[in-house]
Amino acid sequence: MPDSGLSPGQPSLPDPPVTPPPLPGPPTLPFPPAGAAGAGTAAAPAGVADIPVPVTPEPGWIPRGPSGLGTASLSLARHPEGALEAPAPTAPAEGPAIPGLYHHPVAEPDPVRVEEVSLRIKAWAVDEVQAFPPEWEDQFDGFSVGRYMVACHPDAPTVDHLMAATRLMVAENAVDDCYCEDHGGSPIGLGSRLLLAHTALDPLHTTAEYAPDWAESLHSDAPRRAYRSAMEYFVELATPSQSDRYRHDMARLHLGYLAEAAWAETEHVPEVWEYLAMRQFNNFRPCPTITDTVGGYELPADLHASPAMQRVIALAGNATTIVNDLYSYTKEQRSPGLHLNLPVVIAEREGLSEQDAYLKAVEVHNDLMRTFEAEAAELAAACPVPTVLRFLKGVAAWVDGNHYWHRTNTYRYSLPSFW
């Protein structure tokens, strides 16, 4: 949205109706044409951007600090008391947005919160779960996860709420890197590794004889340590329904990992629609699905599980994942081996040049984004319940914050020279 920052002074929403209107099912209309709303930045449709959100800060909320961004990498140097030191605040490098990409600018994330989350997450990663060896420290810092999560969750009432999302993000990336990709990952045996790691999120219920062996296994590698600890923190804030929802979406994520791994083992380049099906599972969906937990409220289970809401969440996850494909394209092209992403699959399957395939992938993203916004607005109008409205606004803020992080993270990403 043009301004996804949320102010504690915004008016409260009206009380919900006693009997909420029925939720519509997923529409059957095709996606709108790519040129329907123009390219580049634009305002969101009414019903999403204009949804007022009540925010009541809890004790411990960190107020907005002075101007300037506190997003420097953190040093492992310690004070005599043993605390990690935070460096002087510095601004992130500003990268260009992809030309023609439909997106919304966001307010710069609160620098005080960014610095606090960055400090806490590194302390957790280093001291509590040993998520990475010292030689990976620059990559951890370059990820800028504190800035990422503060940008994506502007309505989080406390830093503790932000930390719940931040730990899960770091844990998910530890699994992706160590099991699947950059740091020793392999498609061979991935199913077994993912299954055992998933039990750190969805506990094994077994006999007294074998439970200790399972419990010990949760400390055996960095991904499982990170999953176990992050989930323990998360369930302290989440309701049982929210926790189970997250486990479900993580199972979806792991299924997507396995599909991609199967293609890698057989050197199969999927059809474009097959690739998009895989990316609906191997995507960011677990992140926006917890937006209410991070916001300190709950979207009731029946409203979250409705077909219309599930379609909106899926579209948001799909659009944000194609953003990742587009911004990481250059990095992946420079890496050894074939990395599947949407431009690569379009080029291979539709016989297009690299440039034309990339530009078509931008159009796919834009179609997904416009459909997400239109259907979120339709759902907001059909079911104007305060928690539904707030959740939809939170998901939209996550979509915009995700693009902001990809655009500004020049440590990780750069654009191809197609323009």
Side-chain angles (χ1 to χ4, degrees):
M1 305 305 117
D3 182 1
S4 64
L6 301 174
S7 167
Q10 289 179 301
S12 298
L13 289 167
D15 293 333
V18 176
T19 304
L23 291 169
T28 57
L29 295 175
F31 289 168
T41 60
V48 180
D50 299 330
I51 297 171
V53 177
V55 179
T56 304
E58 298 176 1
W61 179 76
I62 296 181
R64 183 168 297 280
S67 61
L69 295 176
T71 57
S73 61
L74 299 172
S75 170
L76 283 176
R78 299 176 183 273
H79 291 294
E81 296 81 8
L84 289 166
E85 287 185 343
T90 58
E94 289 291 327
I98 294 171
L101 190 78
Y102 181 79
H103 70 281
H104 305 286
V106 301
E108 294 295 331
D110 185 322
V112 177
R113 285 192 159 196
V114 169
E115 185 174 6
E116 179 68 12
V117 172
S118 298
L119 182 61
R120 289 196 195 183
I121 192 58
K122 192 158 187 181
W124 174 78
V126 172
D127 296 332
E128 290 193 43
V129 298
Q130 299 81 50
F132 60 90
E135 58 268 26
W136 296 359
E137 182 184 355
D138 61 331
Q139 297 174 55
F140 182 88
D141 293 339
F143 197 86
S144 299
V145 67
R147 183 159 53 91
Y148 194 178
M149 293 296 96
V150 175
C152 286
H153 295 286
D155 71 335
T158 72
V159 170
D160 285 340
H161 287 80
L162 284 168
M163 284 299 301
T166 309
R167 292 187 198 93
L168 291 172
M169 171 63 79
V170 171
E172 290 165 24
N173 277 275
V175 170
D176 191 24
D177 284 347
C178 297
Y179 285 1
C180 306
E181 301 228 1
D182 298 338
H183 296 297
S186 168
I188 300 172
L190 179 60
S192 174
R193 295 192 297 274
L194 287 177
L195 174 64
L196 296 178
H198 194 82
T199 68
L201 307 173
D202 198 349
L204 174 65
H205 301 279
T206 187
T207 65
E209 179 181 0
Y210 298 108
D213 292 336
W214 163 73
E216 183 178 356
S217 76
L218 299 183
H219 300 268
S220 61
D221 62 14
R224 278 183 273 189
R225 289 193 298 270
Y227 262 4
R228 178 198 58 79
S229 176
M231 195 65 184
E232 286 180 353
Y233 281 103
F234 181 73
V235 298
E236 290 179 2
L237 290 177
T239 67
S241 175
Q242 289 172 321
S243 299
D244 200 55
R245 175 207 306 170
Y246 177 75
R247 294 184 185 104
H248 185 191
D249 276 349
M250 288 301 292
R252 285 176 161 135
L253 175 67
H254 294 157
L255 181 61
Y257 285 170
L258 291 175
E260 188 173 25
W263 293 337
E265 282 194 279
T266 60
E267 299 183 348
H268 172 67
V269 178
E271 298 288 346
V272 176
W273 72 266
E274 291 177 314
Y275 177 81
L276 292 171
M278 181 274 292
R279 268 318 223 171
Q280 181 165 305
F281 290 81
N282 178 5
N283 80 4
F284 288 116
R285 183 176 181 142
C287 302
T289 204
I290 63 170
T291 188
D292 54 338
T293 306
V294 183
Y297 65 99
E298 181 177 18
L299 177 66
D302 58 337
L303 297 179
H304 182 272
S306 70
M309 183 64 77
Q310 285 296 299
R311 178 164 167 80
V312 166
I313 294 170
L315 287 164
N318 293 349
T320 55
T321 302
I322 301 306
V323 163
N324 180 264
D325 275 14
L326 293 168
Y327 278 95
S328 63
Y329 175 81
T330 302
K331 178 169 70 79
E332 292 182 348
Q333 289 294 87
R334 292 171 180 166
S335 301
L338 177 66
H339 286 259
L340 291 183
N341 54 55
L342 184 57
V344 166
V345 173
I346 290 175
E348 177 71 20
R349 286 299 187 178
E350 299 187 2
L352 299 180
S353 68
E354 290 184 4
Q355 178 176 1
D356 288 344
Y358 189 93
L359 297 179
K360 184 168 184 179
V362 171
E363 293 178 7
V364 172
H365 165 271
N366 292 350
D367 284 351
L368 289 169
M369 269 291 290
R370 294 191 183 101
T371 306
F372 156 69
E373 291 184 346
E375 298 200 14
E378 180 181 333
L379 177 54
C383 188
V385 177
T387 51
V388 169
L389 302 182
R390 184 173 181 185
F391 188 84
L392 291 172
K393 187 174 180 70
V395 172
W398 201 96
V399 170
D400 294 341
N402 176 74
H403 174 266
Y404 162 86
W405 176 80
H406 280 85
R407 178 181 65 81
T408 60
N409 196 331
T410 54
Y411 174 89
R412 291 172 61 87
Y413 306 120
S414 61
L415 300 186
S417 55
F418 288 155
W419 301 274

